Amino acid sequence: MGGRLRAPTGRYGGRSAEERQAERRRRFLDAALRLFGDTPGYRGTTVAALSQAAGLSTRQFYEEFRTLEDVLAALHLEVNGWAEQAVLDALADVDGLPLAERATALFRAYARAITSDPRRVRIAFMEIIGVSPRLEEQRLARRARWVDLIRAEADAAVARGEAAPRDYRLAATAFIGSVNGLLHDWTAGWVDATLDEVVDELVRLLLGMLRPEGWRPGAP
């Protein structure tokens, strides 16, 4: 297929073409979460199987997407968007809290959002890997947003005198790897701990990064 088919226009059944298109797209993405995030996974799914799971036709698929890779790309961004929104919502409630409490609230919001459905973890951390250079670029770009968020929080903590001043770019990148790896392993059942215990461990790692041994508040 060289491109998407043109979707019908006009009103039908009391709904506009845009409303019908949004509903179809939603049904394809919901079906993709079920198939890509569980069995058979992205690589085992066909356009026909996804269309059947969505209760739609392959023609309707090509009205919304060019390829299955486009569906995975959209789903990956959506899963990350849900987690990011959870963190942004939590940010509104942590103003003025000490660093440890602030970090715990933010990471708990992220962890609960990303692990609320094991299929989200699989989409975010597994199915996206090794698909194509395009999706690898998207994955790294999305991870960079998380790195930027952590760096911004670290810089704000430095400004408040709660963290040691330094460039946190590499540390934040390494920390993101720890977050993703631990949450994946916890979801897979490889870590014998509660989610709150996992979050507490991640916060200890973060505080160790921000407050190295020998540093004291107010020290340069």
Side-chain angles (χ1 to χ4, degrees), residues 168-214:
Y168 282 99
R169 178 183 49 186
L170 291 179
T173 302
F175 182 68
I176 284 292
S178 299
V179 172
N180 292 350
L182 187 53
L183 288 177
H184 170 267
D185 290 356
W186 179 83
T187 305
W190 300 339
V191 175
D192 183 16
T194 67
L195 184 58
D196 282 344
E197 288 172 335
V198 168
V199 169
D200 289 344
E201 189 62 36
L202 290 171
V203 170
R204 280 191 286 270
L205 286 174
L206 179 65
L207 293 179
M209 177 180 85
L210 297 173
R211 298 170 170 178
E213 186 177 356

Side-chain angles (χ1 to χ4, degrees), residues 39-172:
T39 302
Y42 167 72
R43 290 165 178 80
T45 299
T46 63
V47 170
L50 180 64
S51 300
Q52 182 178 22
L56 298 166
S57 68
T58 55
R59 175 180 176 83
Q60 288 170 310
F61 174 89
Y62 288 112
E63 289 173 355
E64 305 303 326
F65 302 97
R66 291 182 302 112
T67 65
L68 283 175
E69 184 177 309
D70 290 340
V71 183
L72 179 60
L75 191 58
H76 174 257
L77 291 178
E78 187 169 61
V79 167
N80 274 274
W82 289 331
E84 183 177 34
Q85 190 58 55
V87 173
L88 294 177
D89 290 344
L91 271 172
D93 299 325
V94 297
D95 247 0
L97 289 181
L99 177 59
E101 294 178 37
R102 181 182 180 91
T104 299
L106 296 181
F107 277 109
R108 185 164 288 134
Y110 172 81
R112 286 175 175 169
I114 204 73
T115 64
S116 62
D117 184 337
R119 297 171 299 185
R120 295 187 183 188
V121 175
R122 182 164 170 177
I123 294 297
F125 302 150
M126 296 174 61
E127 293 299 305
I128 199 74
I129 300 291
V131 173
S132 70
R134 167 206 173 193
L135 286 195
E136 182 64 7
E137 182 178 350
Q138 175 176 303
R139 183 183 73 85
L140 293 177
R142 202 59 189 76
R143 187 174 69 177
R145 286 173 65 97
W146 290 112
V147 170
D148 288 344
L149 190 150
I150 291 174
R151 289 179 66 192
E153 282 295 302
D155 291 343
V158 170
R160 295 192 302 268
E162 294 185 282
R166 71 180 178 99
D167 183 350
Y168 282 99
R169 178 183 49 186
L170 291 179

